[in-house]
Amino acid sequence: MEIKTKTFLKKGLTLFFSVMSFFMFGQNKEEPQIRKVFNQIVLAYGSSKTAPELVVTKQKQDRPAFYKFDKKPIVTIDAYLFTICRSFGKDSLNALSVVIGHELAHYYNEHSFCTDFAFAIRNKNEVFSKKVKLIDKNQKIIYETQADDKGLFYAAIAGYEPFEVQPKLLDTIYTQYLLKDADGYPTKVQRKEIAKNALLKAKRLYETFTLGLKYIQEKNYDKAIEAFNTVNNDFPSRENYNNLGVAKTRKALDLQEPNTIEKASPERFLYPIEIENKSRLNKEITRSLDDNSEVIEQLLKDAQNDFQEAIRLDPNFTKGYINLACVLDLLGNYPKSIGTIFDLTKEQQNSIEAKRILAIAYFHDKQENKALAIWNELKL
């Protein structure tokens, strides 16, 4: 009887720990998911600044997230926030992107105070409260507005759909974290109004951004340039500058007449100009016959500036270098075009796009043997 009891207890405990292990395995996915969303939005910002450190807390905190700069920049996300976001079902990652985008916006816009997503300042954190209360309330509203609209915009650029879920998420956060209005800070009503206005602005500009991409595909380059310029007034980014440069370059290519060699081997002279939605925009052979040399040159010089600005914002932006090399070649600066490709890493230089423009630049620079070697390698 004693042996049977021990056996039963042993089996029972084994089953219990097996179930618990399975349950804990299912619940331990918070950090990888949070980190994935974090990395996607960092990539969308495309900034030369090193990303802040991400810390995911294990125990529930009194606020969902906050950014602070002590000895180094840190974005802290409460793991319990993941549980809240999961309640939104198919919008769970979209909800998470709202909060992470907001905190990253504080970092990338160099907001000089420690904050959290919902203006929750606990009186027990006296040092924290004193630091933040030194800042004028209106300045806090400005910072939070920027963090809201830029956070939403870059979350959308990263591929998430944050707009619809944001208002519901804010209400849920206030309820779940028992956040109350605090002295010297925007009230919940004010906070919701800030979020609402930011949402409308970010959504409008994101729609303008996607319209710009559509206009490029439709070859309506003037409209595309106008759209990306509008977005750049509020949300300058490597994507906007890159796509602005692409639109100007494509317009210039449409105005420029191809020469006899280009007409004879059009596949060899396809410029690998890329926008940020992964589409390839190649040079076409049928273009305007009018003399637009001055317009073309100005468009290309403007495009050069746009690509250089995209690279300045993110020195590791491979597409920016390839697009810049294309424009430099079109401007007749062949050595500089070649040098731009050699500024890339060996791995990046081995991409088909890099080899394509390198061959074109070599050919125009009278280094035909090098160009032919690349074209043969690419079977062109």
Side-chain angles (χ1 to χ4, degrees), residues 10-11 54 77 81 107 124 158-159 176 195 204 238 240 267 304 324 335 357 369-370:
K10 185 177 180 181
K11 286 182 178 179
L54 172 64
I77 304 292
L81 175 66
Y107 167 66
K124 63 184 181 182
Q176 291 291 322
R204 173 175 53 82
R238 71 173 193 185
N240 289 334
E267 73 284 353
Q304 178 184 348
L324 178 60
I357 181 54
N369 288 338
K370 290 182 179 181

PDB file of all heavy atoms in Angstrom, residues 10-11 54 77 81 107 124 158-159 176 195 204 238 240 267 304 324 335 357 369-370:
ATOM      1  N   LYS A  10       4.413  10.004  -7.038  1.00  0.00           N
ATOM      2  CA  LYS A  10       5.496  10.273  -7.975  1.00  0.00           C
ATOM      3  C   LYS A  10       4.944  10.614  -9.360  1.00  0.00           C
ATOM      4  O   LYS A  10       5.357  11.569 -10.008  1.00  0.00           O
ATOM      5  CB  LYS A  10       6.419   9.050  -8.061  1.00  0.00           C
ATOM      6  CG  LYS A  10       7.650   9.278  -8.941  1.00  0.00           C
ATOM      7  CD  LYS A  10       8.539   8.054  -8.912  1.00  0.00           C
ATOM      8  CE  LYS A  10       9.781   8.275  -9.789  1.00  0.00           C
ATOM      9  NZ  LYS A  10      10.652   7.094  -9.799  1.00  0.00           N
ATOM     10  N   LYS A  11       3.942   9.795  -9.796  1.00  0.00           N
ATOM     11  CA  LYS A  11       3.316  10.032 -11.099  1.00  0.00           C
ATOM     12  C   LYS A  11       2.570  11.370 -11.109  1.00  0.00           C
ATOM     13  O   LYS A  11       2.593  12.109 -12.078  1.00  0.00           O
ATOM     14  CB  LYS A  11       2.360   8.893 -11.443  1.00  0.00           C
ATOM     15  CG  LYS A  11       3.069   7.595 -11.839  1.00  0.00           C
ATOM     16  CD  LYS A  11       2.053   6.528 -12.225  1.00  0.00           C
ATOM     17  CE  LYS A  11       2.771   5.257 -12.666  1.00  0.00           C
ATOM     18  NZ  LYS A  11       1.806   4.199 -13.026  1.00  0.00           N
ATOM     19  N   LEU A  54      17.443  47.374 -24.136  1.00  0.00           N
ATOM     20  CA  LEU A  54      16.077  46.963 -23.806  1.00  0.00           C
ATOM     21  C   LEU A  54      16.108  46.087 -22.565  1.00  0.00           C
ATOM     22  O   LEU A  54      16.840  45.097 -22.511  1.00  0.00           O
ATOM     23  CB  LEU A  54      15.443  46.190 -24.960  1.00  0.00           C
ATOM     24  CG  LEU A  54      14.077  45.551 -24.665  1.00  0.00           C
ATOM     25  CD1 LEU A  54      13.018  46.612 -24.380  1.00  0.00           C
ATOM     26  CD2 LEU A  54      13.636  44.661 -25.828  1.00  0.00           C
ATOM     27  N   ILE A  77      10.533  47.694 -20.381  1.00  0.00           N
ATOM     28  CA  ILE A  77       9.174  47.242 -20.691  1.00  0.00           C
ATOM     29  C   ILE A  77       8.752  46.236 -19.631  1.00  0.00           C
ATOM     30  O   ILE A  77       9.485  45.284 -19.331  1.00  0.00           O
ATOM     31  CB  ILE A  77       9.101  46.576 -22.084  1.00  0.00           C
ATOM     32  CG1 ILE A  77       9.625  47.515 -23.178  1.00  0.00           C
ATOM     33  CG2 ILE A  77       7.666  46.123 -22.392  1.00  0.00           C
ATOM     34  CD1 ILE A  77       8.781  48.721 -23.436  1.00  0.00           C
ATOM     35  N   LEU A  81       2.861  43.898 -19.501  1.00  0.00           N
ATOM     36  CA  LEU A  81       2.283  44.603 -20.640  1.00  0.00           C
ATOM     37  C   LEU A  81       1.974  43.625 -21.769  1.00  0.00           C
ATOM     38  O   LEU A  81       0.982  43.774 -22.484  1.00  0.00           O
ATOM     39  CB  LEU A  81       3.251  45.679 -21.139  1.00  0.00           C
ATOM     40  CG  LEU A  81       2.833  46.424 -22.419  1.00  0.00           C
ATOM     41  CD1 LEU A  81       1.582  47.253 -22.180  1.00  0.00           C
ATOM     42  CD2 LEU A  81       3.968  47.304 -22.912  1.00  0.00           C
ATOM     43  N   TYR A 107      13.600  58.435 -26.882  1.00  0.00           N
ATOM     44  CA  TYR A 107      15.050  58.283 -27.016  1.00  0.00           C
ATOM     45  C   TYR A 107      15.569  58.984 -28.280  1.00  0.00           C
ATOM     46  O   TYR A 107      16.494  59.798 -28.218  1.00  0.00           O
ATOM     47  CB  TYR A 107      15.425  56.802 -27.059  1.00  0.00           C
ATOM     48  CG  TYR A 107      16.843  56.545 -27.514  1.00  0.00           C
ATOM     49  CD1 TYR A 107      17.927  56.961 -26.750  1.00  0.00           C
ATOM     50  CD2 TYR A 107      17.093  55.913 -28.729  1.00  0.00           C
ATOM     51  CE1 TYR A 107      19.229  56.741 -27.176  1.00  0.00           C
ATOM     52  CE2 TYR A 107      18.388  55.684 -29.161  1.00  0.00           C
ATOM     53  CZ  TYR A 107      19.457  56.099 -28.385  1.00  0.00           C
ATOM     54  OH  TYR A 107      20.740  55.888 -28.814  1.00  0.00           O
ATOM     55  N   LYS A 124       5.867  57.548  -4.308  1.00  0.00           N
ATOM     56  CA  LYS A 124       6.897  56.840  -3.540  1.00  0.00           C
ATOM     57  C   LYS A 124       8.270  56.965  -4.199  1.00  0.00           C
ATOM     58  O   LYS A 124       9.295  56.808  -3.548  1.00  0.00           O
ATOM     59  CB  LYS A 124       6.529  55.367  -3.375  1.00  0.00           C
ATOM     60  CG  LYS A 124       6.458  54.594  -4.692  1.00  0.00           C
ATOM     61  CD  LYS A 124       5.982  53.168  -4.458  1.00  0.00           C
ATOM     62  CE  LYS A 124       5.922  52.386  -5.757  1.00  0.00           C
ATOM     63  NZ  LYS A 124       5.417  51.039  -5.567  1.00  0.00           N
ATOM     64  N   ALA A 158       7.374  50.261 -39.595  1.00  0.00           N
ATOM     65  CA  ALA A 158       7.966  48.955 -39.267  1.00  0.00           C
ATOM     66  C   ALA A 158       7.077  47.790 -39.686  1.00  0.00           C
ATOM     67  O   ALA A 158       7.482  46.635 -39.591  1.00  0.00           O
ATOM     68  CB  ALA A 158       8.253  48.870 -37.768  1.00  0.00           C
ATOM     69  N   GLY A 159       5.852  48.085 -40.127  1.00  0.00           N
ATOM     70  CA  GLY A 159       4.972  47.031 -40.617  1.00  0.00           C
ATOM     71  C   GLY A 159       3.809  46.691 -39.715  1.00  0.00           C
ATOM     72  O   GLY A 159       3.031  45.779 -40.016  1.00  0.00           O
ATOM     73  N   GLN A 176      -5.660  48.631 -15.963  1.00  0.00           N
ATOM     74  CA  GLN A 176      -4.857  47.516 -15.467  1.00  0.00           C
ATOM     75  C   GLN A 176      -3.763  47.963 -14.499  1.00  0.00           C
ATOM     76  O   GLN A 176      -3.422  47.238 -13.566  1.00  0.00           O
ATOM     77  CB  GLN A 176      -4.230  46.753 -16.641  1.00  0.00           C
ATOM     78  CG  GLN A 176      -5.220  45.986 -17.495  1.00  0.00           C
ATOM     79  CD  GLN A 176      -5.815  44.807 -16.744  1.00  0.00           C
ATOM     80  OE1 GLN A 176      -5.145  44.128 -15.975  1.00  0.00           O
ATOM     81  NE2 GLN A 176      -7.108  44.577 -16.950  1.00  0.00           N
ATOM     82  N   ALA A 195      -3.169  61.870 -27.180  1.00  0.00           N
ATOM     83  CA  ALA A 195      -3.040  60.650 -27.972  1.00  0.00           C
ATOM     84  C   ALA A 195      -3.922  60.691 -29.211  1.00  0.00           C
ATOM     85  O   ALA A 195      -3.516  60.268 -30.296  1.00  0.00           O
ATOM     86  CB  ALA A 195      -3.393  59.437 -27.109  1.00  0.00           C
ATOM     87  N   ARG A 204      -2.455  60.403 -40.816  1.00  0.00           N
ATOM     88  CA  ARG A 204      -2.501  61.203 -42.043  1.00  0.00           C
ATOM     89  C   ARG A 204      -1.152  61.182 -42.764  1.00  0.00           C
ATOM     90  O   ARG A 204      -1.093  61.002 -43.995  1.00  0.00           O
ATOM     91  CB  ARG A 204      -2.887  62.647 -41.693  1.00  0.00           C
ATOM     92  CG  ARG A 204      -2.816  63.610 -42.867  1.00  0.00           C
ATOM     93  CD  ARG A 204      -3.317  64.992 -42.474  1.00  0.00           C
ATOM     94  NE  ARG A 204      -2.653  65.516 -41.294  1.00  0.00           N
ATOM     95  CZ  ARG A 204      -1.471  66.115 -41.316  1.00  0.00           C
ATOM     96  NH1 ARG A 204      -0.812  66.245 -42.454  1.00  0.00           N
ATOM     97  NH2 ARG A 204      -0.934  66.589 -40.202  1.00  0.00           N
ATOM     98  N   ARG A 238      15.474  58.106 -42.945  1.00  0.00           N
ATOM     99  CA  ARG A 238      16.245  57.593 -44.077  1.00  0.00           C
ATOM    100  C   ARG A 238      15.308  57.108 -45.177  1.00  0.00           C
ATOM    101  O   ARG A 238      15.593  57.253 -46.365  1.00  0.00           O
ATOM    102  CB  ARG A 238      17.170  56.460 -43.633  1.00  0.00           C
ATOM    103  CG  ARG A 238      16.452  55.188 -43.274  1.00  0.00           C
ATOM    104  CD  ARG A 238      17.376  54.031 -42.996  1.00  0.00           C
ATOM    105  NE  ARG A 238      16.610  52.795 -42.976  1.00  0.00           N
ATOM    106  CZ  ARG A 238      17.118  51.623 -42.670  1.00  0.00           C
ATOM    107  NH1 ARG A 238      18.383  51.530 -42.331  1.00  0.00           N
ATOM    108  NH2 ARG A 238      16.367  50.544 -42.690  1.00  0.00           N
ATOM    109  N   ASN A 240      12.267  58.262 -45.953  1.00  0.00           N
ATOM    110  CA  ASN A 240      11.719  59.396 -46.687  1.00  0.00           C
ATOM    111  C   ASN A 240      12.748  60.005 -47.628  1.00  0.00           C
ATOM    112  O   ASN A 240      12.443  60.302 -48.786  1.00  0.00           O
ATOM    113  CB  ASN A 240      11.223  60.463 -45.713  1.00  0.00           C
ATOM    114  CG  ASN A 240       9.970  60.038 -44.977  1.00  0.00           C
ATOM    115  OD1 ASN A 240       9.193  59.220 -45.469  1.00  0.00           O
ATOM    116  ND2 ASN A 240       9.783  60.566 -43.788  1.00  0.00           N
ATOM    117  N   GLU A 267      19.462  45.566 -70.954  1.00  0.00           N
ATOM    118  CA  GLU A 267      19.503  44.812 -69.691  1.00  0.00           C
ATOM    119  C   GLU A 267      20.766  45.097 -68.886  1.00  0.00           C
ATOM    120  O   GLU A 267      20.795  44.917 -67.673  1.00  0.00           O
ATOM    121  CB  GLU A 267      19.366  43.309 -69.962  1.00  0.00           C
ATOM    122  CG  GLU A 267      20.574  42.629 -70.579  1.00  0.00           C
ATOM    123  CD  GLU A 267      20.746  42.911 -72.069  1.00  0.00           C
ATOM    124  OE1 GLU A 267      19.840  43.537 -72.662  1.00  0.00           O
ATOM    125  OE2 GLU A 267      21.785  42.501 -72.634  1.00  0.00           O
ATOM    126  N   GLN A 304      20.966  63.340 -55.172  1.00  0.00           N
ATOM    127  CA  GLN A 304      22.244  63.065 -54.511  1.00  0.00           C
ATOM    128  C   GLN A 304      22.199  63.539 -53.058  1.00  0.00           C
ATOM    129  O   GLN A 304      22.603  62.815 -52.138  1.00  0.00           O
ATOM    130  CB  GLN A 304      23.392  63.754 -55.253  1.00  0.00           C
ATOM    131  CG  GLN A 304      24.749  63.553 -54.583  1.00  0.00           C
ATOM    132  CD  GLN A 304      25.861  64.326 -55.283  1.00  0.00           C
ATOM    133  OE1 GLN A 304      25.677  64.844 -56.399  1.00  0.00           O
ATOM    134  NE2 GLN A 304      27.009  64.436 -54.645  1.00  0.00           N
ATOM    135  N   LEU A 324      22.912  56.134 -54.296  1.00  0.00           N
ATOM    136  CA  LEU A 324      23.832  57.260 -54.471  1.00  0.00           C
ATOM    137  C   LEU A 324      24.809  56.972 -55.612  1.00  0.00           C
ATOM    138  O   LEU A 324      25.103  57.863 -56.432  1.00  0.00           O
ATOM    139  CB  LEU A 324      24.599  57.519 -53.171  1.00  0.00           C
ATOM    140  CG  LEU A 324      25.653  58.643 -53.212  1.00  0.00           C
ATOM    141  CD1 LEU A 324      25.006  59.982 -53.571  1.00  0.00           C
ATOM    142  CD2 LEU A 324      26.366  58.748 -51.860  1.00  0.00           C
ATOM    143  N   PRO A 335      34.232  57.894 -61.150  1.00  0.00           N
ATOM    144  CA  PRO A 335      35.124  57.425 -60.070  1.00  0.00           C
ATOM    145  C   PRO A 335      34.447  57.476 -58.696  1.00  0.00           C
ATOM    146  O   PRO A 335      34.615  56.577 -57.882  1.00  0.00           O
ATOM    147  CB  PRO A 335      36.305  58.392 -60.139  1.00  0.00           C
ATOM    148  CG  PRO A 335      36.306  58.901 -61.541  1.00  0.00           C
ATOM    149  CD  PRO A 335      34.854  58.984 -61.926  1.00  0.00           C
ATOM    150  N   ILE A 357      25.458  48.325 -60.661  1.00  0.00           N
ATOM    151  CA  ILE A 357      25.859  49.721 -60.819  1.00  0.00           C
ATOM    152  C   ILE A 357      27.373  49.841 -60.963  1.00  0.00           C
ATOM    153  O   ILE A 357      27.876  50.722 -61.666  1.00  0.00           O
ATOM    154  CB  ILE A 357      25.337  50.604 -59.655  1.00  0.00           C
ATOM    155  CG1 ILE A 357      25.759  52.074 -59.859  1.00  0.00           C
ATOM    156  CG2 ILE A 357      25.787  50.099 -58.303  1.00  0.00           C
ATOM    157  CD1 ILE A 357      25.347  52.658 -61.208  1.00  0.00           C
ATOM    158  N   ASN A 369      36.785  46.299 -69.623  1.00  0.00           N
ATOM    159  CA  ASN A 369      37.091  44.901 -69.282  1.00  0.00           C
ATOM    160  C   ASN A 369      36.491  44.525 -67.928  1.00  0.00           C
ATOM    161  O   ASN A 369      35.940  43.420 -67.761  1.00  0.00           O
ATOM    162  CB  ASN A 369      38.603  44.663 -69.264  1.00  0.00           C
ATOM    163  CG  ASN A 369      39.195  44.667 -70.658  1.00  0.00           C
ATOM    164  OD1 ASN A 369      38.478  44.449 -71.648  1.00  0.00           O
ATOM    165  ND2 ASN A 369      40.501  44.924 -70.763  1.00  0.00           N
ATOM    166  N   LYS A 370      36.580  45.439 -66.976  1.00  0.00           N
ATOM    167  CA  LYS A 370      35.998  45.185 -65.652  1.00  0.00           C
ATOM    168  C   LYS A 370      34.471  45.117 -65.742  1.00  0.00           C
ATOM    169  O   LYS A 370      33.828  44.285 -65.094  1.00  0.00           O
ATOM    170  CB  LYS A 370      36.422  46.269 -64.662  1.00  0.00           C
ATOM    171  CG  LYS A 370      37.893  46.222 -64.279  1.00  0.00           C
ATOM    172  CD  LYS A 370      38.227  47.293 -63.248  1.00  0.00           C
ATOM    173  CE  LYS A 370      39.697  47.217 -62.847  1.00  0.00           C
ATOM    174  NZ  LYS A 370      40.050  48.244 -61.829  1.00  0.00           N
TER     175      LYS A 370
END
